[in-house]
Amino acid sequence: MKHSDQHADRRLWIRSLIWGLLLVVCVVGIAHAEGLFRWLEPDARQVIYQRAQFYELLGRHLLVVGIAALVTIFFGVGAGIAVTRKKGRDFLPLVAQLASLGQTFPPVAVLALAVPVLGFGTLPIIIALMLYGLLPIVRNTLAGLQDVNEEIKVASRAMGMTPLQTLYQVELPLAAPVILAGIRTSVTINIATAALGATVGASNLGDPIIAGIINGNMAYVTQGALIIALLALTIDSLFDGLQGRLRQRLSSPQRLS
Amino acid sequence: MSLLDALPTPKLRRGGYPNAVLVSMSIVMLAVLWGLDAVSVAPNRIVQGTGVGVLGAIGLPGAFLASLLILAIGGLACQPGRTNYAAALGAVVLLLALMPFGLMVASYFLIDPALPQARLGIGASYWLILFILLLCLIELRLRLALTRLLPGLLLAGVGLLWWLCASLWLDDLALVQEFKARDRQFMRAVGQHIVLVGVAVGVSIVLGGLLAMLMRRFKRLQKSAFAVLNFLQTIPSLALFGLLLAPLAWLAANVPVLAQVGVSGIGNTPALIALVAYSLLPMVRNTYIALEQVSPDTLEAATAMGMRRGQQFWQVRLPLALPVLLEGVRITTVQAIGLTAVAALIGAGGLGTFIFQGLGQAAMDMVLLGALPILVLALLVDAALGALAEALRPGGIQ
């Protein structure tokens, strides 16, 4: 059993390695693949997106998503923990309701509503991503913490653990898979929404797609779309590997003893 | 809503502890009311408006009335109890109902009738207070353990009042002016949006149902089908739309029959393909789970009663599966409403057109004209399908 688990684990990491390699190949190789894209768009003056290097666009995309993810994880998990403690319990119903209601808000609408308040550029994107990405994390943190068996918590208290120790050594490790799933949802949505940020003046991987649609240049569109898709698949498979490892750690008896 | 079901219903506590949630929200509202701009005034459509605080917008009496009502909400929450919560609910609804009249007063004070292009924008504190009031409404609904019906009716009444004010007296409001300048276009866009979402969801219900049935028949299909659908769901919407453009344009150019049917790189075809591709995963997943989770005991009882396989499916399995199935339809539809907005980028029309045109022209009120209806549409569909699923849930099933 354990052996096959490790095997599956390794396969997950290999998959993310393959997607990552494809991503790197595309980012480096597209500039040299003029012939290929010329075939796609024979009449255009340029067939390779020139306004910025692809690795710069990728870097900016990752930076925006990364900052938003770090902040949302900090505040989202923090809020989830705060409202499940004794002092914050008053806020629990409202926060839970808000987190599930927030799933209804379309990301595009959130992005569009952020612009009138915050203006054009990269900052509104980051803030819109933070606001939107917060909800799945809060929701899953709540679900994960509330799923922790009451008897286990009582047992840890009986063992003489302080509430803080219970939180760090019992509740959070047990809730970790659910919380991680929330973070995965949040990051996946954010990669897609950040691409839409190109329409509000942020320069990232959405840029070639928007420029291609406006100029009717399918080669640009394909280049941007290919790289974003590969980025999303790489990150997603990384989360897959992380979740696999977490599951393994929680289910392996050696660790718990 | 499933998360909420698991929550303990908050108990009404007699006296003693103040309700921290309402008290803090009332303090925040007061700070926002006096600290941020309530409205903005612009001489024409493109110029950035200048902000005006609450005193300039509704004068001292208006600001006093608003502060009093907000204080009342916080004050009533200090002594929680059924009557006090009901009174706080009254104050919240009154504030919501008075908000458009505040805008009317502001436009009377601030808009010079000699400037026909002048317009009133809605400021940060106005939006924030509206948002916090809605949060108060949710909190009060939970504390008073009301069903969704009463707050829904109250909100519908307030919405009707707002609509009336906007169409009769709020001509100076920038949002209203944007709407009046393109009301036909707006109605057409709403229609297009609903048709696109409807067709995509309809197709994915049929395809998703078929796929789920096939998965139940051929278990081996299950893993690979879910893998493919998961894969599709991971790809960002803009990228999927983009990746469909090139091959479809090529097909339309090289296969004349397809071009005649309406296939093209830009427009409805790629939009619908992408929408269906995204909708399939939640649809198939929920249909499959819904059909599988029906308890074997119930099915055995149906067999024992002499039902044939077909009867069993239509009269036992499907009705029992319906609430979870509808949950899938709800998730799919809400998701499709948002994605259709993105489809405007590839020329599919719908409300997203206003968002992206407005962003292009830096006309923020046009962006609002696109974004607000999308939000309202998503919330309405969510509430309606959620209520339907709840109504269809048989009494004994959890």
Side-chain angles (χ1 to χ4, degrees), chain B residues 159-398:
Chain B
L160 201 68
L161 186 71
W162 282 49
W163 181 258
L164 212 69
C165 290
S167 56
L168 291 180
W169 301 299
L170 278 172
D171 282 341
D172 296 322
L173 199 64
L175 202 59
V176 176
Q177 286 189 353
E178 288 290 334
F179 172 72
K180 292 224 160 129
R182 45 182 75 75
D183 54 347
R184 284 242 185 87
Q185 226 180 323
F186 179 79
M187 288 306 169
R188 193 163 0 115
V190 173
Q192 274 173 341
H193 208 98
I194 292 174
V195 168
L196 274 174
V197 171
V199 172
V201 172
V203 170
S204 61
I205 287 177
V206 174
L207 275 184
L210 283 177
L211 209 58
M213 302 286 216
L214 279 177
M215 279 184 194
R216 290 190 50 228
R217 186 65 51 89
F218 308 103
K219 293 281 176 191
R220 201 177 288 174
L221 188 71
Q222 186 197 340
K223 209 171 169 190
S224 48
F226 271 128
V228 170
L229 293 177
N230 257 323
F231 175 83
L232 281 174
Q233 193 86 8
T234 313
I235 297 177
S237 50
L238 191 61
L240 192 59
F241 283 125
L243 285 174
L244 283 171
L245 286 183
L248 284 174
W250 186 85
L251 275 180
N254 291 292
V255 187
V257 185
L258 284 177
Q260 275 170 9
V261 189
V263 172
S264 66
I266 294 271
N268 285 332
T269 325
L272 277 177
I273 294 178
L275 284 176
V276 170
Y278 278 115
S279 305
L280 272 179
L281 177 68
M283 209 51 236
V284 171
R285 194 167 45 198
N286 274 58
T287 313
Y288 184 80
I289 292 173
L291 291 175
E292 285 293 292
Q293 64 153 22
V294 174
S295 111
D297 294 346
T298 317
L299 291 172
E300 206 183 309
T303 320
M305 281 168 66
M307 280 191 174
R308 277 178 281 111
R309 279 184 71 114
Q311 279 178 320
Q312 228 181 69
F313 183 83
W314 292 108
Q315 293 176 17
V316 179
R317 203 187 267 273
L318 197 61
L320 283 177
L322 216 50
V324 181
L325 219 150
L326 266 177
E327 177 71 10
V329 177
R330 183 179 71 85
I331 297 171
T332 310
T333 316
V334 167
Q335 184 189 284
I337 289 173
L339 285 172
T340 305
V342 181
L345 276 177
I346 54 165
L351 284 164
T353 328
F354 293 124
I355 296 184
F356 294 116
Q357 263 180 29
L359 288 175
Q361 301 172 3
M364 288 315 146
D365 296 298
M366 194 166 166
V367 176
L368 286 182
L369 192 64
L372 288 180
I374 292 178
L375 208 61
V376 172
L377 206 61
L379 289 175
L380 279 182
V381 166
D382 185 67
L385 286 177
L388 189 64
E390 223 159 84
L392 283 176
R393 181 173 298 182
I397 301 274
Q398 282 298 305

Side-chain angles (χ1 to χ4, degrees), chain A:
Chain A
M1 186 66 201
K2 190 154 184 285
H3 185 73
S4 75
D5 267 4
Q6 261 174 356
H7 206 69
D9 196 36
R10 195 170 302 148
R11 218 170 41 208
L12 288 175
W13 290 118
I14 287 176
R15 187 159 3 137
S16 56
L17 200 68
I18 292 173
W19 287 125
L21 274 180
L22 274 177
L23 177 65
V24 172
V25 166
C26 269
V27 168
V28 177
I30 278 178
H32 307 289
E34 194 168 339
L36 189 69
F37 289 104
R38 176 64 65 193
W39 172 79
L40 195 68
E41 196 71 40
D43 309 322
R45 204 154 47 84
Q46 280 181 352
V47 290
I48 306 292
Y49 187 75
Q50 301 284 8
R51 236 173 283 165
Q53 297 291 330
F54 283 109
Y55 64 83
E56 281 174 48
L57 295 176
L58 176 68
R60 274 183 227 142
H61 206 104
L62 276 176
L63 191 70
V64 166
V65 174
I67 292 176
L70 284 181
V71 176
T72 44
I73 291 169
F74 182 76
F75 284 106
V77 177
I81 291 173
V83 298
T84 45
R85 298 308 100 185
K86 211 169 194 172
K87 281 191 180 143
R89 224 163 242 285
D90 273 354
F91 286 85
L92 178 60
L94 183 71
V95 170
Q97 179 83 319
L98 191 67
S100 72
L101 199 67
Q103 306 290 309
T104 337
F105 293 11
V108 201
V110 174
L111 193 67
L113 290 176
V115 175
V117 185
L118 304 163
F120 284 86
T122 307
L123 190 68
I125 306 288
I126 296 185
I127 293 181
L129 291 188
M130 282 187 217
L131 287 179
Y132 196 75
L134 210 59
L135 299 168
I137 297 183
V138 172
R139 185 191 162 98
N140 278 38
T141 307
L142 284 182
L145 286 177
Q146 287 180 330
D147 267 358
V148 175
N149 195 327
E150 198 60 40
E151 284 169 26
I152 297 181
K153 279 191 263 184
V154 172
S156 65
R157 217 169 304 146
M159 280 169 66
M161 283 186 170
T162 61
L164 207 64
Q165 279 176 325
T166 315
L167 175 67
Y168 279 111
Q169 294 174 16
V170 179
E171 289 182 71
L172 280 181
L174 284 175
V178 186
I179 298 179
L180 191 64
I183 295 174
R184 180 181 180 173
T185 314
S186 159
V187 170
T188 310
I189 295 174
N190 277 356
I191 291 176
T193 314
L196 289 172
T199 56
V200 296
S203 152
N204 58 37
L205 286 172
D207 252 10
I209 302 183
I210 304 290
I213 289 172
I214 290 171
N215 302 324
N217 189 330
M218 288 306 147
Y220 287 2
V221 175
T222 313
Q223 289 156 20
L226 205 62
I227 297 184
I228 298 185
L230 285 174
L231 173 67
L233 291 169
T234 309
I235 303 277
D236 194 64
S237 58
L238 279 176
F239 272 110
D240 235 1
L242 224 60
Q243 279 178 323
R245 169 164 293 188
L246 210 58
R247 261 199 307 273
Q248 206 183 336
R249 185 178 285 191
L250 276 179
S251 62
S252 95
Q254 284 94 331
R255 287 275 181 169
L256 283 178
S257 64

Side-chain angles (χ1 to χ4, degrees), chain B residues 89-101:
Chain B
L89 184 67
V92 168
V93 173
L94 190 62
L95 259 174
L96 281 173
L98 283 176
M99 284 181 94
F101 293 96

Side-chain angles (χ1 to χ4, degrees), chain B residues 14 97 108 112-113 124 135 146 158 223 230 236 247 267 273 309 343 351 383 386:
Chain B
R14 297 216 165 273
Y108 176 76
D112 183 356
L135 289 186
L146 298 174
V158 169
K223 209 171 169 190
N230 257 323
I273 294 178
R309 279 184 71 114
L351 284 164

